[in-house]
Amino acid sequence: MTAAGLGKLLGKTLDITLIESEEISTVGVGEATIPPLKWIHRVLAIREPEFVRAVQGTFKLGISFENWRDLEKSYIHTFGHSGRSIRVADFQHFWVRGRTLGIAKEFGEYCEEWAAAQKRRFGLMLNCILDYAYHLDASLYAKLLRGIAEKYGVVRREGRIEQVIQDPQSGFISGLRLQSGHLIEGDLFIDCTGFRGLLIEQTLNAGYDDWGHWLPCDSAITVQSESTEAPRPYTRAIAREAGWQWRIPLQHRVGNGIVFSSRHWSDDEAGARLLENIPGRLLTEPRVIRFRAGQRRRHWHKNCVAVGLASGFIEPLESTSIHLIQQSVTRLVQMFPNNGIPDSTVVEFNKQMLREADNIRDFIILHYHVTERTDSPFWRQCRMMEIPDSLRHRIELFRQGGRVYKTSEELFGETSWLQVMIGQGLVPEQHHPAVNAMSDEKLGDFLDGIRREVSNLVEQLPDHQSFIDDYCKAPVE
């Protein structure tokens, strides 16, 4: 993605070399995305039907969180908006009063994406514009992006890096020597070496902030399986006793995995829990992955920019890893130096990336901390743990007055916070006083009208599989 983005936007003014080795596999923990991916596809001139066909993808309206609030309880965090706001009061205040009166339905019923996900429908219609993302095969996506990068002049070098060469005075990286002996020199280096951080950490020692005390999961096991049902238009995140399991439906298979805490489960225990909850025949052998939730203290250090797993890893719960790659590329293009590397540019890049990662971190912690589960040591620890002050403020702001907010640089908007907080069992103690100007009868009509409108629009949509068959069906292998 980095090579394709730089090649498309700056390739006419730069010499760009991509060093890659077929011997090194990618982590590919998650295969789910979020809506901003469509933006970089527009930049790269990738047409949607061809893209979905190439990655054997399906469509994603959100994530179904099962057993997170408590056992046998579930909700869907969608990409859409819930209800309508009136005057100074946002929709949740009307819903809270309606809930008190016993006339409000489940919060999700006022959202088109929620209703479509429940009925397993999806479509692209002018009168029902859904907000959506994709499930994709990460290996096929990388292949697609490699072709785009080379189309825009990026030179790909096959090989493994044997030595990172630094300038003795400045400490800047001056070149990379491959095992073949070939030396590749450069002015700016992008570290996409994954958890190893070969350039940013092993060479430049940028430092790492470990978030394990807030995000207790540090391991994952992944495996692919045959499909046993038509693909659902959402990701499933199923909470288990010491972590959670994902199911991501593609056109040709299902991506499965379990994220867990090694302090509470052994690999064998986690693997057994995963395999006993996969209905289809396995297509690959289970693979164990270790990680440390956290981020580099400096994403850009000297003349090196860390992108992807080299810059840090939160965890795949809300499918943010690919988005953070995209944001790194976007900000790098926006701040790309012309002559030398100004310190102010590096400082600003780091400030923006660190702030965005902190906000996503808080959103992920919310899922673990605000829970009613007490059935295992893992969940009791999550309920009782200390959380960042920034998250505690958000929780109390909503608990006490039903208020949420989004700053301009944040990824997740008000509706996302609303859906997860309410889904996890957090309901405001009071609503905005402006809602009291509406009579009980008018409030009931207002809420029912939104539900009817949502239902009528969703009924016009085809089922998810039918839409894929007509729009972007991948050839059978």
Side-chain angles (χ1 to χ4, degrees):
M1 182 176 284
T2 306
L6 291 176
K8 173 65 164 62
L9 297 171
L10 297 172
K12 292 182 179 179
T13 62
L14 301 174
D15 293 324
I16 305 171
T17 300
L18 168 64
I19 302 171
E20 208 172 24
S21 173
E22 298 286 358
E23 299 175 8
I24 302 174
S25 62
T26 59
V27 172
V29 171
E31 298 173 310
T33 63
I34 56 178
L37 187 69
K38 296 195 289 286
W39 177 84
I40 200 166
H41 286 182
R42 288 194 291 271
V43 171
L44 296 175
I46 300 175
R47 296 190 67 248
E48 185 175 78
E50 285 78 5
F51 155 71
V52 179
R53 196 175 295 121
V55 299
Q56 301 192 8
T58 61
F59 294 88
K60 174 185 173 183
L61 294 167
I63 304 172
S64 172
F65 287 97
E66 303 166 31
N67 301 332
W68 282 83
R69 175 177 176 178
D70 207 345
L71 295 172
E72 307 303 323
K73 292 184 179 180
S74 64
Y75 66 95
I76 299 179
H77 167 210
T78 74
F79 300 128
H81 293 280
S82 295
R84 291 195 299 271
S85 300
I86 296 180
R87 303 185 186 94
V88 298
D90 292 324
F91 175 72
Q92 70 268 20
H93 295 281
F94 295 90
W95 178 82
V96 168
R97 183 181 167 214
R99 184 175 180 271
T100 302
L101 296 172
I103 58 176
K105 303 297 183 182
E106 185 175 346
F107 190 73
E109 294 191 30
Y110 304 93
C111 172
E112 293 169 9
E113 287 78 2
W114 183 93
Q118 290 284 355
K119 292 181 175 294
R120 303 189 189 183
R121 294 173 181 260
F122 183 84
L124 302 175
M125 301 171 59
L126 290 177
N127 64 335
C128 186
I129 302 175
L130 302 174
D131 204 356
Y132 64 92
Y134 312 98
H135 301 124
L136 54 83
D137 183 312
S139 297
L140 293 176
Y141 188 41
K143 180 180 178 181
L144 174 69
L145 292 172
R146 172 182 165 182
I148 292 171
E150 292 179 323
K151 171 185 173 183
Y152 290 112
V154 173
V155 175
R156 183 185 180 278
R157 290 277 189 180
E158 170 66 31
R160 301 184 68 148
I161 298 169
E162 185 173 79
Q163 181 186 10
V164 180
I165 301 171
Q166 293 176 267
D167 180 87
Q169 277 75 45
S170 66
F172 277 35
I173 297 172
S174 59
L176 305 174
R177 191 175 301 281
L178 307 185
Q179 286 182 342
S180 64
H182 187 83
L183 176 64
I184 298 177
E185 297 178 303
D187 300 306
L188 185 69
F189 293 81
I190 316 298
D191 189 341
C192 297
T193 62
F195 292 133
R196 292 184 304 152
L198 180 60
L199 278 62
I200 196 71
E201 191 60 44
Q202 292 187 28
T203 302
L204 297 180
N205 303 306
Y208 195 81
D209 285 330
D210 192 317
W211 292 338
H213 51 297
W214 291 319
L215 297 170
C217 293
D218 58 7
S219 303
I221 301 176
T222 66
V223 69
Q224 299 170 10
S225 67
E226 283 186 335
S227 302
T228 59
E229 63 176 10
R232 306 184 189 203
Y234 55 86
T235 304
R236 295 182 68 188
I238 309 161
R240 302 300 185 194
E241 295 87 343
W244 62 277
Q245 176 184 347
W246 76 75
R247 290 185 191 164
I248 298 174
L250 304 181
Q251 292 189 39
H252 60 310
R253 62 169 172 83
V254 176
N256 307 275
I258 192 162
V259 177
F260 64 99
S261 165
S262 64
R263 293 179 293 278
H264 296 85
W265 260 351
S266 67
D267 292 353
D268 289 342
E269 289 173 313
R273 200 74 172 94
L274 172 64
L275 297 181
E276 70 187 18
N277 285 286
I278 295 177
R281 181 176 66 89
L282 300 188
L283 301 176
T284 60
E285 289 296 319
R287 178 187 177 195
V288 179
I289 298 167
R290 307 290 182 208
F291 60 86
R292 279 197 306 153
Q295 68 170 326
R296 301 286 170 211
R297 291 177 183 145
R298 289 167 287 191
H299 290 228
W300 187 337
H301 186 37
K302 297 186 182 295
N303 64 334
C304 176
V305 180
V307 174
L309 299 180
S311 69
F313 185 62
I314 300 175
E315 72 152 78
L317 184 60
E318 283 282 357
S319 310
T320 53
S321 290
I322 292 178
H323 171 75
L324 285 171
I325 295 171
Q326 177 181 324
Q327 287 298 90
S328 296
V329 176
T330 301
R331 289 192 171 106
L332 178 58
V333 169
Q334 292 171 339
M335 303 182 191
F336 208 89
N338 185 36
N339 184 19
I341 300 177
D343 290 341
S344 58
T345 297
V346 175
V347 169
E348 183 61 26
F349 181 92
N350 285 327
K351 182 171 71 173
Q352 292 187 22
M353 290 304 303
L354 292 171
R355 187 165 52 210
E356 177 152 25
D358 285 348
N359 289 330
I360 294 173
R361 174 206 66 195
D362 282 3
F363 189 61
I364 302 300
I365 296 170
L366 172 70
H367 299 65
Y368 285 100
H369 180 65
V370 179
T371 179
E372 298 167 5
R373 289 190 65 162
T374 58
D375 55 290
S376 69
F378 175 85
W379 288 106
R380 290 194 292 272
Q381 173 187 323
C382 291
R383 279 171 56 96
M384 299 303 295
M385 69 181 173
E386 290 295 322
I387 59 175
D389 291 340
S390 51
L391 175 57
R392 186 173 301 283
H393 171 67
R394 284 185 187 266
I395 290 173
E396 290 309 310
L397 190 68
F398 183 67
R399 188 199 311 276
Q400 295 172 7
R403 291 176 174 82
V404 293
Y405 66 89
K406 176 187 184 298
T407 58
S408 58
E409 70 273 7
E410 288 186 57
L411 169 61
F412 293 105
E414 290 93 338
T415 299
S416 290
W417 283 90
L418 282 170
Q419 290 179 349
V420 174
M421 286 192 287
I422 291 172
Q424 295 287 138
L426 187 65
V427 177
E429 297 167 353
Q430 57 179 300
H431 56 264
H432 195 287
V435 175
N436 297 328
M438 186 179 286
S439 69
D440 295 358
E441 182 180 1
K442 286 188 175 180
L443 177 62
D445 291 342
F446 171 67
L447 295 173
D448 288 343
I450 295 174
R451 288 181 62 245
R452 284 195 302 271
E453 182 179 333
V454 166
S455 179
N456 291 339
L457 288 171
V458 169
E459 286 299 323
Q460 301 175 48
L461 297 172
D463 72 81
H464 185 215
Q465 183 65 67
S466 297
F467 179 79
I468 290 171
D469 291 343
D470 292 339
Y471 182 68
C472 55
K473 185 173 178 60
V476 178
E477 295 180 341

